[in-house]
Amino acid sequence: LRVCPGQRFQVADLLAHLQAAPVSANDVLLKPYLASWDELIKFLEALGPMVGLISQEIESKTAIIRDLAQKAEKEPEKKMKERKRTHQQSDPVLMISHNSSSDYSEMNHRLSFGYTSVRSMIKWELENGLVDFHKQTNSGCRTLLRLHRALLWLQNFLLELGRDTTEGEHLRSPSDLCKETYLRTLAHHHTWWVRKAAELAFLAMPERPYFYLLVCVETQAEAAVVLNRIVRAIEEVYERNEVALQEHGMLDLP
Ligand code: 1PW
């Protein structure tokens, strides 16, 4: 992946964050997940003032999860210290392993607390009664679900944009692809007014050459390679989150 000088959005950074997110067999680390969103927001902002305005909503969603994480940070540290103390008293073997900071069990303890990963967040919020299944709150879980739904739209859009059609075949405009994928995915979760605002934003979407510049390529074939790598990385993250949310009956949180 090429570096684009003087550009805020860097496709290599996006890919690095996306690839850093999957952890253990089925979990997603929240830090790189939210960092991926930071990069995706830069991408959206580059698409014009209307799209940028709408993507501010995404930014506020990432801020909600980061705030929750910050507030909960003290809590798990306290608990972990307690856990260490009890282990040290009862189990000399564990005591030794717990003294090494690179130890796996330490990492697993860390992973299972607070807002470290998607699954630890779900566990944490359920245990602390923070998830409301009947009315709207600002839980991390319902906020993640909003980001999750938006990610499916982005994944679909980038997939269509990266489709390398054989020569001579007509390439459809990003604006059309954006609208079509939006109606197929995220629009189902939006009110009439939000849908109209989104559709308005799509009208002002730039043409393909502009997208090529954004990901530092010159042809559709090159764009297809870059976009497919991004799409595959998004898919991995999306699938894991889909399963985690679904396992906890959280795909319809209000
Ligand atoms: C390329 C065209 C522009 C795309 C930019 C990103 C758009 C995706 C989000 C659109 C948000 C529009 C305004 C707010 C919508 C919220 O109602 C909705 N939020 C999301 C992220 O879908 C649901 O969140 P809520 O109201 O349940 O807190």
Side-chain angles (χ1 to χ4, degrees), residues 165-182:
T165 52
T166 47
E167 237 177 290
E169 206 176 315
H170 180 62
L171 286 171
R172 304 181 48 221
S173 78
S175 176
D176 284 352
L177 294 177
C178 195
K179 182 172 173 178
E180 190 184 287
T181 51
Y182 171 75

Side-chain angles (χ1 to χ4, degrees), residues 89-126:
Q89 281 159 2
S90 59
D91 193 336
V93 179
L94 266 177
M95 182 189 80
I96 294 164
S97 66
H98 273 286
N99 281 340
S100 145
S101 60
S102 62
D103 174 63
Y104 280 122
S105 69
E106 166 107 15
M107 256 174 61
N108 283 335
H109 284 318
R110 217 171 249 292
L111 248 184
S112 61
F113 280 117
Y115 294 82
T116 309
S117 71
V118 167
R119 282 178 184 271
S120 75
M121 174 179 79
I122 292 174
K123 184 167 163 270
W124 172 265
E125 292 203 327
L126 286 176

Side-chain angles (χ1 to χ4, degrees), residues 53-226:
L53 206 68
I54 290 185
S55 76
Q56 274 181 13
E57 151 71 8
I58 302 243
E59 201 168 348
S60 77
K61 292 282 187 272
T62 61
I64 290 172
I65 299 180
R66 284 189 168 119
D67 283 353
L68 288 167
Q70 211 165 31
K71 283 191 198 116
E73 214 164 58
K74 305 281 173 303
E75 210 51 37
E77 299 260 306
K78 237 169 35 199
K79 272 198 187 171
M80 198 153 73
K81 276 188 192 132
E82 272 164 34
R83 194 184 279 249
K84 263 193 193 177
R85 232 187 355 258
T86 49
H87 277 153
Q88 280 172 359
Q89 281 159 2
S90 59
D91 193 336
V93 179
L94 266 177
M95 182 189 80
I96 294 164
S97 66
H98 273 286
N99 281 340
S100 145
S101 60
S102 62
D103 174 63
Y104 280 122
S105 69
E106 166 107 15
M107 256 174 61
N108 283 335
H109 284 318
R110 217 171 249 292
L111 248 184
S112 61
F113 280 117
Y115 294 82
T116 309
S117 71
V118 167
R119 282 178 184 271
S120 75
M121 174 179 79
I122 292 174
K123 184 167 163 270
W124 172 265
E125 292 203 327
L126 286 176
E127 278 173 359
N128 289 283
L130 298 171
V131 188
D132 198 317
F133 286 81
H134 305 290
K135 65 173 201 291
Q136 191 174 319
T137 58
N138 263 353
S139 68
C141 290
R142 70 86 59 190
T143 305
L144 177 83
L145 178 62
R146 269 59 192 178
L147 291 173
H148 178 66
R149 289 167 174 172
L151 193 59
L152 180 64
W153 162 65
L154 263 167
Q155 184 220 300
N156 274 257
F157 173 55
L158 297 177
L159 178 72
E160 293 294 336
L161 202 61
R163 208 158 280 219
D164 185 17
T165 52
T166 47
E167 237 177 290
E169 206 176 315
H170 180 62
L171 286 171
R172 304 181 48 221
S173 78
S175 176
D176 284 352
L177 294 177
C178 195
K179 182 172 173 178
E180 190 184 287
T181 51
Y182 171 75
L183 290 176
R184 183 161 90 207
T185 55
L186 192 56
H188 295 296
H189 307 288
H190 283 165
T191 60
W192 188 87
W193 287 105
V194 171
R195 261 184 254 168
K196 291 300 144 195
E199 280 170 36
L200 219 61
F202 303 151
L203 292 178
M205 185 139 295
E207 294 299 324
R208 276 178 193 265
Y210 187 83
F211 284 88
Y212 298 166
L213 286 179
L214 265 182
V215 296
C216 297
V217 300
E218 278 156 20
T219 64
Q220 178 62 28
E222 286 176 339
V225 174
V226 174

Side-chain angles (χ1 to χ4, degrees), residues 33-42 58 62 147 150-151 154:
Y33 179 77
L34 295 174
S36 309
W37 270 116
D38 291 343
E39 212 52 42
L40 284 168
I41 289 165
K42 289 184 205 164
I58 302 243
T62 61
L147 291 173
L151 193 59
L154 263 167

